[in-house]
Amino acid sequence: GTLLGTGDDSVFAIQPIGFAFPIGGTTYTDVHVSTNGFFYLSNAGTPAPGTNGCCSGNSATMLSGSPRIAPWWHDLVVNAPGGVYLNSSATRTVITWDQAIEFGNATAVTFQAQIFPDGDVVMFFNNSVLVRTTGTCLTGLSAGGGATDPGVADLSAGSVGGTLPSAYELFNNGALPFDLANLAVTFDANGLGGYDISVAPCIFATSAAYGVGCPGPWAGYEEFTSGIDLNGGAIHFFPNGAGGYQITQCNACFYNNFGTDLALTDDSLAVGLNLGFSFPYAGTSTTAIDACSNGFVWL
């Protein structure tokens, strides 16, 4: 998604959710994301978001303050190469704290919250998430505004049939160790005003080949939508003997003898250009190419 920024004890500018998110009988259209592992909900800034939430997760503040969702509310710092990201759409909004560290510690952790138009919330934690410093960490959510305290939950145990628009668990580096690393916690809005809570292992992305199509394994490409990171460099596609390519950078392979001007114009094509040799590709070969003014050749 979009990089909101980095920093310490910061709340970033208001961001649209992309839909009306329901909690506690009210819907909200915007978020205010803090580097300290949570975000406020509002409608164009109403109710007004609270402070940056430094430094320890606090259930009393969460219940009495502005509506808040807190995957890992703790005293955090998020600096490059990490960052806080938002990816919003009409069907799901995703907020990610990438490579955050606890203040006074150097171990990077990554976690994420996803919210949905039906009021569901899913929180994800990578396997390095653990409270290593002093202070309390809070994982949970609340409609705020003086919401009734549901009491401390055991999120890893799950629950069914909640009726209060708040649920949370507290963690520290002592008697309450964080036990949700490498897990996904789902707060399922149950229509009773509260949440059914369940926990499942994070399922890592995988890929699988499906059939045999065209092009084959000899293809290799990258798409650029805003800017290109190859300026000042050159790329060498070297046949690897297995039907594909080894792709490397080439520091001094630009050829200055341009040869004959093809006199191409906008969206034009020069056809049947003789190579002077047989060029192998995709299990076959050719001795001629067509060159297009839009930056490619046909074999």
mmCIF file of all heavy atoms in Angstrom, residues 1 40 63 72 101 103 109 119 130 134 153 162 167 192 239 245 292-293:
data_model
loop_
_atom_site.group_PDB
_atom_site.id
_atom_site.type_symbol
_atom_site.label_atom_id
_atom_site.label_comp_id
_atom_site.label_asym_id
_atom_site.label_seq_id
_atom_site.Cartn_x
_atom_site.Cartn_y
_atom_site.Cartn_z
ATOM 1 N N GLY A 1 0.806 -1.205 0.000
ATOM 2 C CA GLY A 1 0.000 0.000 0.000
ATOM 3 C C GLY A 1 0.841 1.257 0.000
ATOM 4 O O GLY A 1 2.014 1.243 -0.361
ATOM 5 N N TYR A 40 -6.921 5.219 15.211
ATOM 6 C CA TYR A 40 -8.222 5.739 15.607
ATOM 7 C C TYR A 40 -9.177 5.691 14.419
ATOM 8 O O TYR A 40 -8.764 5.741 13.258
ATOM 9 C CB TYR A 40 -8.104 7.185 16.076
ATOM 10 C CG TYR A 40 -7.253 7.407 17.294
ATOM 11 C CD1 TYR A 40 -5.972 7.949 17.181
ATOM 12 C CD2 TYR A 40 -7.732 7.105 18.572
ATOM 13 C CE1 TYR A 40 -5.188 8.182 18.298
ATOM 14 C CE2 TYR A 40 -6.950 7.336 19.702
ATOM 15 C CZ TYR A 40 -5.681 7.872 19.553
ATOM 16 O OH TYR A 40 -4.911 8.106 20.669
ATOM 17 N N LEU A 63 -10.860 2.326 26.326
ATOM 18 C CA LEU A 63 -12.300 2.245 26.532
ATOM 19 C C LEU A 63 -12.949 3.615 26.624
ATOM 20 O O LEU A 63 -14.093 3.813 26.211
ATOM 21 C CB LEU A 63 -12.603 1.440 27.797
ATOM 22 C CG LEU A 63 -12.202 -0.034 27.756
ATOM 23 C CD1 LEU A 63 -12.218 -0.634 29.148
ATOM 24 C CD2 LEU A 63 -13.110 -0.816 26.825
ATOM 25 N N TRP A 72 -1.094 -4.001 18.028
ATOM 26 C CA TRP A 72 0.059 -4.166 18.934
ATOM 27 C C TRP A 72 0.436 -2.816 19.494
ATOM 28 O O TRP A 72 1.460 -2.241 19.143
ATOM 29 C CB TRP A 72 1.236 -4.807 18.190
ATOM 30 C CG TRP A 72 2.108 -5.656 19.050
ATOM 31 C CD1 TRP A 72 1.741 -6.752 19.779
ATOM 32 C CD2 TRP A 72 3.517 -5.488 19.286
ATOM 33 N NE1 TRP A 72 2.816 -7.280 20.445
ATOM 34 C CE2 TRP A 72 3.933 -6.532 20.163
ATOM 35 C CE3 TRP A 72 4.473 -4.589 18.845
ATOM 36 C CZ2 TRP A 72 5.243 -6.682 20.599
ATOM 37 C CZ3 TRP A 72 5.783 -4.731 19.279
ATOM 38 C CH2 TRP A 72 6.164 -5.766 20.142
ATOM 39 N N ILE A 101 10.273 -1.414 15.728
ATOM 40 C CA ILE A 101 11.058 -1.888 16.866
ATOM 41 C C ILE A 101 10.520 -1.247 18.147
ATOM 42 O O ILE A 101 9.970 -0.144 18.124
ATOM 43 C CB ILE A 101 12.564 -1.571 16.713
ATOM 44 C CG1 ILE A 101 12.792 -0.064 16.622
ATOM 45 C CG2 ILE A 101 13.155 -2.276 15.504
ATOM 46 C CD1 ILE A 101 14.257 0.336 16.650
ATOM 47 N N PHE A 103 10.930 0.756 21.516
ATOM 48 C CA PHE A 103 11.871 1.768 21.962
ATOM 49 C C PHE A 103 12.848 1.127 22.951
ATOM 50 O O PHE A 103 12.442 0.504 23.929
ATOM 51 C CB PHE A 103 11.133 2.923 22.642
ATOM 52 C CG PHE A 103 12.028 4.040 23.071
ATOM 53 C CD1 PHE A 103 12.445 4.998 22.162
ATOM 54 C CD2 PHE A 103 12.461 4.132 24.380
ATOM 55 C CE1 PHE A 103 13.279 6.038 22.551
ATOM 56 C CE2 PHE A 103 13.293 5.170 24.791
ATOM 57 C CZ PHE A 103 13.709 6.116 23.862
ATOM 58 N N VAL A 109 9.934 -6.132 14.159
ATOM 59 C CA VAL A 109 8.730 -6.946 14.116
ATOM 60 C C VAL A 109 7.787 -6.362 13.064
ATOM 61 O O VAL A 109 7.815 -5.160 12.788
ATOM 62 C CB VAL A 109 8.021 -7.003 15.487
ATOM 63 C CG1 VAL A 109 8.941 -7.578 16.545
ATOM 64 C CG2 VAL A 109 7.528 -5.624 15.922
ATOM 65 N N GLY A 119 -17.596 -5.201 9.500
ATOM 66 C CA GLY A 119 -17.165 -4.984 10.869
ATOM 67 C C GLY A 119 -16.126 -5.963 11.361
ATOM 68 O O GLY A 119 -15.643 -5.842 12.492
ATOM 69 N N LEU A 130 7.310 -10.101 19.896
ATOM 70 C CA LEU A 130 7.450 -10.489 21.295
ATOM 71 C C LEU A 130 7.761 -9.231 22.091
ATOM 72 O O LEU A 130 8.515 -8.378 21.633
ATOM 73 C CB LEU A 130 8.583 -11.508 21.474
ATOM 74 C CG LEU A 130 8.833 -12.021 22.888
ATOM 75 C CD1 LEU A 130 7.669 -12.887 23.363
ATOM 76 C CD2 LEU A 130 10.131 -12.821 22.951
ATOM 77 N N THR A 134 10.316 -3.153 28.831
ATOM 78 C CA THR A 134 9.343 -2.910 29.883
ATOM 79 C C THR A 134 8.096 -2.249 29.316
ATOM 80 O O THR A 134 8.078 -1.788 28.171
ATOM 81 C CB THR A 134 9.944 -2.011 30.971
ATOM 82 O OG1 THR A 134 10.337 -0.765 30.366
ATOM 83 C CG2 THR A 134 11.148 -2.671 31.617
ATOM 84 N N ALA A 153 -9.163 -10.472 28.035
ATOM 85 C CA ALA A 153 -9.447 -11.725 27.343
ATOM 86 C C ALA A 153 -8.174 -12.532 27.164
ATOM 87 O O ALA A 153 -7.058 -12.014 27.313
ATOM 88 C CB ALA A 153 -10.067 -11.431 25.978
ATOM 89 N N GLY A 162 -19.753 -12.764 22.210
ATOM 90 C CA GLY A 162 -19.575 -11.511 22.915
ATOM 91 C C GLY A 162 -20.640 -10.497 22.530
ATOM 92 O O GLY A 162 -21.145 -10.491 21.402
ATOM 93 N N ALA A 167 -12.777 -5.670 23.045
ATOM 94 C CA ALA A 167 -12.104 -6.916 23.434
ATOM 95 C C ALA A 167 -10.613 -6.634 23.404
ATOM 96 O O ALA A 167 -10.121 -5.963 22.493
ATOM 97 C CB ALA A 167 -12.460 -8.059 22.489
ATOM 98 N N LEU A 192 -24.422 -9.333 17.565
ATOM 99 C CA LEU A 192 -24.905 -9.155 18.933
ATOM 100 C C LEU A 192 -24.313 -7.901 19.575
ATOM 101 O O LEU A 192 -24.528 -7.644 20.755
ATOM 102 C CB LEU A 192 -24.554 -10.377 19.783
ATOM 103 C CG LEU A 192 -25.068 -11.733 19.291
ATOM 104 C CD1 LEU A 192 -24.524 -12.850 20.164
ATOM 105 C CD2 LEU A 192 -26.583 -11.757 19.256
ATOM 106 N N PRO A 239 21.188 -16.793 -21.518
ATOM 107 C CA PRO A 239 20.573 -18.126 -21.553
ATOM 108 C C PRO A 239 21.268 -19.077 -20.578
ATOM 109 O O PRO A 239 22.497 -19.179 -20.557
ATOM 110 C CB PRO A 239 20.783 -18.569 -23.010
ATOM 111 C CG PRO A 239 20.916 -17.290 -23.774
ATOM 112 C CD PRO A 239 21.627 -16.343 -22.854
ATOM 113 N N TYR A 245 16.587 -17.872 -18.403
ATOM 114 C CA TYR A 245 17.659 -16.881 -18.415
ATOM 115 C C TYR A 245 18.172 -16.611 -17.007
ATOM 116 O O TYR A 245 17.422 -16.635 -16.030
ATOM 117 C CB TYR A 245 17.158 -15.556 -19.001
ATOM 118 C CG TYR A 245 16.812 -15.627 -20.453
ATOM 119 C CD1 TYR A 245 15.504 -15.872 -20.867
ATOM 120 C CD2 TYR A 245 17.788 -15.465 -21.430
ATOM 121 C CE1 TYR A 245 15.181 -15.941 -22.209
ATOM 122 C CE2 TYR A 245 17.471 -15.532 -22.779
ATOM 123 C CZ TYR A 245 16.164 -15.774 -23.163
ATOM 124 O OH TYR A 245 15.849 -15.843 -24.489
ATOM 125 N N CYS A 292 9.323 -2.034 -33.235
ATOM 126 C CA CYS A 292 8.239 -1.085 -33.016
ATOM 127 C C CYS A 292 8.769 0.185 -32.335
ATOM 128 O O CYS A 292 9.642 0.128 -31.468
ATOM 129 C CB CYS A 292 7.142 -1.704 -32.157
ATOM 130 S SG CYS A 292 5.748 -0.602 -31.825
ATOM 131 N N SER A 293 8.221 1.336 -32.697
ATOM 132 C CA SER A 293 8.635 2.601 -32.096
ATOM 133 C C SER A 293 8.263 2.671 -30.613
ATOM 134 O O SER A 293 8.766 3.532 -29.893
ATOM 135 C CB SER A 293 8.003 3.780 -32.848
ATOM 136 O OG SER A 293 6.590 3.713 -32.776
#
